[in-house]
Amino acid sequence: MADSIDPAVAAAAAHAMSPIDLFLQADTVVKAVMIILILASAWSWAVILDKLVRLHLLQKRAGKLVTSIQAGLPVASVAESFENASPTDPFVTVYKAMVEEHTRSSDLVFSESQRDSLQERVHRVGQLASAEALDHLQSRLPALATIGAVAPFVGLFGTVWGIMNSFQGIAAANNTSLAVVAPGIAEALFATALGLVAAIPAVVFYNRIGADIGRYGKRLNAFIGVFEIELSRQLSKKGDRNGLRAA
C-alpha cells in the first residue's frame, strides 16, 4: 500500500478541484443531482428577481397613491392615476371591483338600511378582490419554500452517493493517499455545497418577499377603507349616487 504522495499526482488532484472539473468527473447520479440543484437555483433566482422588481414597482405606485389620497385627492379621481397602470395591478383590480359594485346599485332608491347594505357589499367585494390579487402575488412562493427545505437533502444524497463511490474506488485501487482520495470526496461534498447555494437564497427571499407582500396587503386594506369612507360621504349627500366612476 502506497501512503506517500507523489507530487505529480498531488498537482493533478489540485487541478481537478475546480468546480467544472468536479462536475465533469462526478458519477452519473451525482451529476444528475448537481444539474437538478443548479436548475433549481436558477429558477428560484428568476422567481426572486421577478417578485422583487414587481413588488418594488407596486409599492412605489401604492405609496404615491396613498399619499395623494391622504393629501385630499377624492377617491372618485383616483381612476385617472390608473390609466397607465397594468390591469393586474392589485389597486386597479380592487378599485374596479368596488366601483362596479357601486355602479350596479346606483339606480336604487336608498334608504338608510340600503345604504348600509351597499357599503357592506362594497367592503366584501373589495376584500375578495384584495385576497385574489394577493394570492396572485404569492404565486410561486411555495416553490421557493420547497427548494429551501429540500435542496440541502438532495445535495446530501449526492454527497452520500459520491462518498460511497469514493470508498469503493479506494478499495479497488488499494491506495489511501490523500491525493487519490481527495478528488472523489470533493466531488461528493460539492453536491452538498450546491444544495446550500440553492437553499439559502430561497429561504431568505421567501421570508423577505412574504413580508413585503404583507406590508403591501396592509396598504391595500387601507385603500379599501379610504374608499369606503368616500363612498359613505357621497351616499350621505342628497341625490349624489354617481360620484364614483370606474377606471
Side-chain angles (χ1 to χ4, degrees):
M1 183 182 298
D3 290 330
S4 60
I5 301 177
D6 188 335
V9 174
H15 173 71
M17 292 294 184
S18 69
I20 294 177
D21 289 329
L22 290 176
F23 172 78
L24 293 176
Q25 296 172 11
D27 176 76
T28 303
V29 174
V30 179
K31 277 184 180 178
V33 168
M34 291 179 180
I35 290 172
I36 290 172
L37 292 173
I38 291 170
L39 292 176
S41 180
W43 188 88
S44 66
W45 274 110
V47 173
I48 288 167
L49 293 176
D50 174 68
K51 295 295 182 183
L52 289 178
V53 171
R54 177 166 171 75
L55 282 170
H56 173 74
L57 295 176
L58 291 177
Q59 290 278 21
K60 185 177 180 180
R61 183 176 185 80
K64 291 181 179 179
L65 182 60
V66 172
T67 300
S68 297
I69 293 174
Q70 291 174 342
L73 178 68
V75 177
S77 302
V78 171
E80 297 176 0
S81 66
F82 290 154
E83 291 178 356
N84 297 322
S86 168
T88 59
D89 188 310
F91 272 77
V92 176
T93 303
V94 170
Y95 182 77
K96 286 185 175 181
M98 291 190 295
V99 169
E100 181 181 353
E101 181 60 34
H102 170 265
T103 302
R104 291 171 63 183
S105 304
S106 62
D107 294 332
L108 298 177
V109 177
F110 294 110
S111 64
E112 183 177 351
S113 62
Q114 288 172 325
R115 287 199 298 269
D116 292 340
S117 296
L118 173 59
Q119 289 179 261
E120 178 64 23
R121 288 197 303 273
V122 169
H123 173 78
R124 291 185 179 181
V125 166
Q127 290 294 328
L128 290 173
S130 173
E132 183 177 356
L134 292 177
D135 282 343
H136 180 71
L137 282 179
Q138 291 170 342
S139 64
R140 295 181 293 175
L141 279 187
L144 285 183
T146 300
I147 290 174
V150 175
F153 295 102
V154 175
L156 182 60
F157 168 75
T159 296
V160 171
W161 187 276
I163 289 177
M164 288 171 57
N165 286 336
S166 295
F167 283 143
Q168 291 176 356
I170 292 169
N174 196 28
N175 190 335
T176 59
S177 69
L178 184 62
V180 174
V181 175
I185 295 179
E187 295 164 13
L189 294 175
F190 186 51
T192 294
L194 287 177
L196 295 176
V197 167
I200 292 174
V203 172
V204 170
F205 284 101
Y206 172 80
N207 294 326
R208 159 78 183 277
I209 294 170
D212 287 346
I213 291 175
R215 285 192 292 271
Y216 186 77
K218 290 180 180 179
R219 281 186 164 179
L220 203 53
N221 287 331
F223 174 70
I224 293 173
V226 172
F227 184 98
E228 292 171 352
I229 292 172
E230 178 73 8
L231 175 62
S232 176
R233 183 181 296 114
Q234 293 191 17
L235 290 176
S236 297
K237 296 178 182 178
K238 282 189 177 183
D240 186 3
R241 299 176 190 153
N242 298 296
L244 301 177
R245 58 190 178 89

